[in-house]
Amino acid sequence: MKHKNIIEQMTLEEKASLMSGQNFWNTKAIERLDIPSIMLTDGPHGLRKQGGKADHLGLNKSLPATCYPTAATLANSWDKSLVYNVGQDIGKEARSEKVSVLLGPGLNIKRNPLCGRNFEYFSEDPYLTGELASGMVKGIQSNGISACPKHYAVNSQEHMRMTIDEIVDERSLREIYLTGFEKVVKESNPHTIMSSYNKVNGEYANENQHLANDILYSEWGFDGVVVTDWGGNNDRVAGLKAHNQLEMPSTNGITDKEIVDAIHVGTLDETILDEAVDQLLALVNKVRLDDKESVQVDYEEHHNKAVEAARQSMVLLKNDKNILPLEAGTKVAVIGDFAKNPRYQGAGSSLINPYKLSNPLDRLQDSSLNIVGYAQGFKRIGGKSSKLLKEATSLAESAETVILFIGLDESKEAEGVDREDLKLPQNQLELVESVVQVNKNVVVVLAGGGALELPFADHVQGILHTYLSGQGGGEAVVDILLGKHNPSGKLSETFPINYTDVPSSAYYPGDQATSEHKEGLFIGYRYFDTANLPVRYPFGYGLSYTTFEYSNIEINGLTVSFDLTNTGEMGGAEIAQLYIEKVDSKIFRSKKELKGFDKVYLEPGETKRLTLELTKRDFSYYNPEINDWEIESGNYKIQVGSSIQEIHLKGTIEMAGVSPTVFLKSDYPHYAMANVKDIPDSEFEKILGSKLPPKNWDRHKDLGMNDTINQAQYKNWLGKLLYNFIMFFHFFFKKIGKPLTANNVYFVINMPFRQIDRFTGGKVSKKKVEAFLRLINR
């Protein structure tokens, strides 16, 4: 141990006290031993340091900070240096506010597009996720503070997130859900990692021996601190045994006593506590900040960087007849509430109080266009308004071109709740239909944190998806519409035609107790490309105002080189993507997998030679029988293109390896055909290696501390009253137009009873909760 001398001076109670927070955001200090308190706070795409009373879900305002584009948006830039710079800027702002640990980035895989928190995550692809998240971690930690990648692991939904059991086979776990975290740990050396609320194959993530001890610490060599998600501790002693050193927030000593008691009765070895204290002290010493230090932040400079990040990340999905960029003097009608009141970030713990905020309407009115007027067009939170619809349609008739700003409102994407569907609100769809009937030159500007069904795509001339572009999105979108910036973003996720096409749609978000990942490896493009199913827009897709040509591919060992030329009349950036495909594979696997990419800017007529390096791991699959990666011997197609569907160059690499004995197509007929939306239990159990646990709660069983308020509805009158009381306020706040408050109320429904005494710091004691449960269970 590095800090043996200090640890030997501590009492048992002092050591245990360091394992949980002092308050909502700070660790405990021991002044007599010169152990300072350090601050942890939210920050996936900007600093959220609350100035007043603290809370996790963003109810109370935080100090002003730069709101950068969310991870889902930045991922569309495919630009590792850009993401590094964003991380560096956020880290600088954190250090200026004496924050030692910034809670981000989020890098969970987008298993399903309905996940309410997808806007905080990078991609459906683990390789792209790992590359970008590694860059952000390096950027944050360049300031001498710690990043905190989250949520480890398999946190794929908000529904029942504090108790749901994610059932996933080991191969899918390794190849899909853990690859990004592995890249981050090995390439960026984060000082902390946040565990997720959910269970993974029967064990809570923060006490999961396989995830923590076997993989994170032993296999990957992580040497930092694991912190719970806020309120994410189940059994404190079990968590400590699984290297979960720090529990947040404070429980007013409740769980500290559990550690002390466990050591006294012999169920916990004190050396495990000593090791945890040693690791926490190493973190504290690494990121402790000088109270007298003054770090100056140029917030105007950071705003300009936020604008540039947004420019690089917006995706041009459609541009028929080159309707964009718009020419100076064009008579334009601006329609849609999001033009004036932009949707630029998600809701929940990542809610940033922006230093400044631009909106597209003001920028358009100050531009070279002839703006003939603005109409709100629709009620933001839904509901019909014939007056708003009529005003917008009338305005559209008077213009040469309509720019129509639509998207998802704040209630649709938030921590704690999942989306109900992939549809835009009906009043917005009716607006699009009405406007298109009177004006054929319509450019739709979308706002939202992910994929959408776009039934109008064939009826409008242009579609620009801004995603959630941060505080500088107003300038960025206008720069693209006017051609001051050439769009270069490409989708980091697949846009299906209909939600029912999504491979996990048959299983998501699961039932009451479990969420079965029966689709296995076939997430996003891995499914659509393998099953040859049409999509609205494929993974890696995005248009430009110029054109590019790929040529002269050369493969030397594991090095792939090729020429890229700008063949158009405007300077622009292209994202070249490399996919591999096993020829005549004996095992079931996705047809193609992303294994390299590069983004390069080229002037008209300019050619650059790009080189992408592959590794043996890029050709490997995970074999649980040997607990290691192995390569299937044979030929692999190397495919270079501008999206997964637009391959321009091909080559072949022969790899030495093994003749597989696991995952043979003959043994798994449904997976072999990518027919994953109707997997029999028997086939899933075969790949899982165990029987499936019950999907639903046992309604006849007494409720315990790990059960939720949601389950109380199935008990006596008191349980029903409690449930209905909370649901009343949920619907009430939705009805009066306060979706964020409604979502936060709903969060309570899925909270386990065990968290009540901890969240209240013992004011509602465990004994009182247990007494209440006895009344409910009568």
Side-chain angles (χ1 to χ4, degrees):
M1 291 191 299
K2 296 178 181 178
H3 306 89
K4 185 177 180 180
N5 291 338
I6 298 176
I7 294 172
E8 287 177 344
Q9 298 176 56
M10 295 182 192
T11 65
L12 176 59
E13 287 72 19
E14 284 177 325
K15 288 188 289 187
S17 75
L18 291 177
M19 299 293 93
S20 64
Q22 173 182 312
N23 50 39
F24 207 84
W25 297 117
N26 294 82
T27 63
K28 291 192 183 83
I30 302 179
E31 293 182 5
R32 72 179 185 85
L33 296 175
D34 191 31
I35 299 173
S37 168
I38 61 171
M39 185 174 198
L40 306 85
T41 197
D42 290 315
H45 59 274
L47 178 67
R48 189 178 84 93
K49 180 183 178 183
Q50 290 178 299
K53 189 176 181 181
D55 71 275
H56 184 48
L57 291 175
L59 296 174
N60 295 316
K61 241 185 179 182
S62 53
L63 301 176
T66 309
C67 180
Y68 287 89
T70 67
T73 315
L74 290 172
N76 295 329
S77 75
W78 296 58
D79 191 328
K80 288 177 276 191
S81 62
L82 174 73
V83 176
Y84 173 90
N85 290 335
V86 169
Q88 190 174 48
D89 290 347
I90 297 173
K92 184 176 183 180
E93 293 188 22
R95 182 158 190 145
S96 75
E97 291 291 346
K98 303 295 188 292
V99 171
S100 293
V101 180
L102 195 71
L103 303 177
L107 58 145
N108 293 104
I109 293 298
K110 298 183 181 184
R111 176 195 176 200
N112 185 287
L114 294 187
C115 176
R117 217 166 173 181
N118 272 352
F119 64 88
E120 285 190 52
Y121 305 144
F122 289 98
S123 177
E124 67 189 30
D125 180 75
Y127 178 85
L128 180 60
T129 292
E131 289 290 300
L132 297 177
S134 293
M136 179 163 278
V137 169
K138 289 177 184 175
I140 291 169
Q141 295 195 164
S142 68
N143 293 276
I145 67 169
S146 176
C148 187
K150 60 183 187 180
H151 310 84
Y152 186 75
V154 202
N155 182 199
S156 305
Q157 61 193 68
E158 295 300 285
H159 169 72
M160 300 302 298
R161 65 174 177 166
M162 296 186 102
T163 56
I164 198 76
D165 191 359
E166 304 280 0
I167 309 298
V168 57
D169 69 277
E170 186 72 10
R171 183 184 174 196
S172 300
L173 178 69
R174 297 294 194 128
E175 294 186 24
I176 303 296
Y177 297 101
L178 297 189
T179 291
F181 284 100
E182 182 180 2
K183 270 184 170 292
V184 166
V185 168
K186 291 182 176 180
E187 296 177 11
S188 302
N189 190 30
H191 307 321
T192 63
I193 281 180
M194 183 187 291
S195 58
S196 55
Y197 288 120
N198 53 279
K199 296 177 185 175
V200 180
N201 294 329
E203 282 190 290
Y204 281 98
N206 82 301
E207 57 194 53
N208 193 299
Q209 292 282 335
H210 183 52
L211 285 177
N213 292 339
D214 296 345
I215 299 175
L216 180 61
Y217 280 92
S218 298
E219 188 178 318
W220 297 348
F222 178 66
D223 62 356
V225 166
V226 172
V227 57
T228 63
D229 202 340
W230 265 232
N233 171 58
N234 172 49
D235 182 317
R236 188 65 193 99
V237 174
L240 203 60
K241 290 177 180 178
H243 273 96
N244 170 208
Q245 296 90 351
L246 181 59
E247 177 189 8
M248 291 297 289
S250 168
T251 62
N252 279 359
I254 293 171
T255 54
D256 301 344
K257 185 176 184 300
E258 292 173 4
I259 294 172
V260 172
D261 290 346
I263 291 173
H264 283 320
V265 299
T267 56
L268 176 66
D269 193 318
E270 192 168 351
T271 59
I272 293 176
L273 175 60
D274 290 347
E275 181 186 347
V277 172
D278 189 56
Q279 288 167 312
L280 184 69
L281 292 178
L283 169 68
V284 170
N285 289 331
K286 201 173 290 182
V287 299
R288 65 190 299 172
L289 302 177
D290 184 354
D291 290 337
K292 297 178 181 178
E293 176 190 64
S294 178
V295 176
Q296 299 301 316
V297 176
D298 186 337
Y299 285 96
E300 279 299 323
E301 178 189 10
H302 282 200
H303 176 76
N304 292 334
K305 289 182 176 181
V307 173
E308 179 58 20
R311 288 193 195 104
Q312 297 291 338
S313 304
M314 293 180 180
V315 186
L316 183 60
L317 297 175
K318 186 174 183 180
N319 194 24
D320 279 7
K321 299 179 181 178
N322 293 323
I323 191 170
L324 295 177
L326 297 170
E327 295 183 3
T330 303
K331 293 175 62 180
V332 171
V334 181
I335 297 174
D337 186 61
F338 295 114
K340 187 175 184 180
N341 303 295
R343 173 87 200 291
Y344 61 96
Q345 66 174 328
S349 60
S350 68
L351 194 69
I352 310 301
N353 178 15
Y355 159 73
K356 66 189 296 186
L357 179 64
S358 62
N359 71 69
L361 179 59
D362 289 345
R363 294 287 166 173
L364 285 166
Q365 289 174 334
D366 291 337
S367 74
S368 60
L369 300 174
N370 179 8
I371 305 299
V372 299
Y374 161 74
Q376 180 180 331
F378 57 87
K379 291 182 178 180
R380 191 179 187 92
I381 311 296
K384 289 191 175 184
S385 171
S386 56
K387 178 185 177 184
L388 293 177
L389 183 63
K390 185 177 180 180
E391 288 174 351
T393 306
S394 177
L395 180 62
E397 285 184 289
S398 67
E400 297 175 69
T401 301
V402 175
I403 306 178
L404 189 54
F405 289 83
I406 58 177
L408 298 176
D409 63 65
E410 289 77 3
S411 68
K412 299 295 191 298
E413 296 172 301
E415 180 178 359
V417 292
D418 292 317
R419 289 164 63 181
E420 295 177 358
D421 52 48
L422 285 188
K423 303 178 187 297
L424 286 162
Q426 185 60 33
N427 60 355
Q428 294 186 32
L429 294 175
E430 291 173 358
L431 173 64
V432 176
E433 184 179 354
S434 181
V435 168
V436 168
Q437 287 178 357
V438 300
N439 193 318
K440 300 303 179 184
N441 297 319
V442 176
V443 175
V444 169
V445 178
L446 292 171
L452 293 160
E453 290 180 7
L454 301 174
F456 54 79
D458 295 333
H459 307 297
V460 298
Q461 295 288 309
I463 303 175
L464 177 65
H465 201 336
T466 68
Y467 269 67
L468 298 177
S469 52
Q471 68 180 49
E475 289 108 312
V477 68
V478 173
D479 285 348
I480 290 176
L481 293 173
L482 271 62
K484 294 180 180 179
H485 178 83
N486 191 346
S488 60
K490 289 179 183 280
L491 294 176
S492 61
E493 60 188 317
T494 306
F495 275 44
I497 295 173
N498 299 296
Y499 173 68
T500 52
D501 296 335
V502 172
S504 59
S505 61
Y507 317 117
Y508 188 90
D511 292 285
Q512 296 168 337
T514 68
S515 180
E516 297 174 350
H517 292 236
K518 283 189 171 182
E519 73 282 355
L521 302 168
F522 295 97
I523 302 296
Y525 75 81
R526 282 170 164 76
Y527 167 71
F528 291 107
D529 187 56
T530 307
N532 197 28
L533 191 72
V535 298
R536 179 68 69 186
Y537 298 111
F539 178 83
Y541 170 84
L543 301 176
S544 170
Y545 294 152
T546 190
T547 54
F548 299 94
E549 181 182 90
Y550 293 71
S551 60
N552 302 325
I553 188 170
E554 181 182 0
I555 300 175
N556 184 8
L558 296 180
T559 301
V560 181
S561 302
F562 54 94
D563 289 338
L564 185 64
T565 304
N566 183 342
T567 54
E569 298 179 355
M570 184 177 185
E574 169 69 335
I575 300 164
Q577 303 156 40
L578 188 155
Y579 298 88
I580 67 168
E581 177 183 345
K582 176 67 178 73
V583 179
D584 298 325
S585 179
K586 292 183 175 64
I587 66 174
F588 71 82
R589 64 202 305 168
S590 57
K591 183 179 180 182
K592 291 197 285 283
E593 294 179 1
L594 178 74
K595 295 300 178 183
F597 62 91
D598 196 8
K599 184 171 187 176
V600 59
Y601 180 87
L602 298 169
E603 293 291 349
E606 184 180 6
T607 297
K608 285 185 180 177
R609 189 149 186 85
L610 277 62
T611 298
L612 299 174
E613 299 285 350
L614 295 169
T615 67
K616 288 185 178 180
R617 172 67 179 270
D618 294 328
F619 298 85
S620 303
Y621 63 94
Y622 190 80
N623 182 351
E625 290 190 359
I626 64 171
N627 295 319
D628 205 354
W629 298 83
E630 63 184 15
I631 298 173
E632 180 182 8
S633 60
N635 290 328
Y636 290 78
K637 291 181 183 178
I638 304 301
Q639 303 171 70
V640 177
S642 49
S643 81
I644 195 166
Q645 288 189 0
E646 298 169 285
I647 302 300
H648 306 299
L649 301 172
K650 295 181 179 180
T652 303
I653 290 179
E654 184 176 358
M655 297 295 295
V658 302
S659 180
T661 59
V662 294
F663 307 120
L664 300 177
K665 291 180 178 179
S666 57
D667 293 337
Y668 299 93
H670 287 79
Y671 288 106
M673 299 297 294
N675 181 20
V676 297
K677 288 199 283 185
D678 191 24
I679 297 288
D681 284 355
S682 59
E683 193 166 336
F684 185 49
E685 288 176 340
K686 186 176 181 180
I687 193 174
L688 193 64
S690 63
K691 287 289 185 181
L692 289 169
K695 299 179 182 181
N696 293 311
W697 302 315
D698 182 350
R699 298 185 184 180
H700 302 292
K701 185 179 177 182
D702 283 354
L703 296 185
M705 295 296 281
N706 275 343
D707 294 314
T708 66
I709 295 171
N710 201 330
Q711 293 168 256
Q713 65 180 299
Y714 304 117
K715 293 300 174 181
N716 63 15
W717 67 270
L718 183 59
K720 290 180 172 65
L721 180 65
L722 172 65
Y723 173 81
N724 290 325
F725 178 77
I726 295 173
M727 289 303 294
F728 167 78
F729 280 101
H730 169 65
F731 289 117
F732 172 75
F733 285 119
K734 283 185 72 173
K735 192 73 175 176
I736 64 173
K738 292 189 175 182
L740 300 185
T741 306
N743 288 343
N744 289 331
V745 170
Y746 191 76
F747 169 80
V748 176
I749 282 286
N750 293 323
M751 187 171 70
F753 287 102
R754 62 176 154 81
Q755 291 301 343
I756 294 176
D757 72 321
R758 298 171 188 177
F759 267 149
T760 62
K763 292 177 182 177
V764 181
S765 68
K766 183 179 179 180
K767 287 185 178 180
K768 289 179 181 177
V769 175
E770 290 173 337
F772 184 72
L773 284 173
R774 286 194 293 271
L775 292 175
I776 289 179
N777 288 325
R778 283 182 177 175

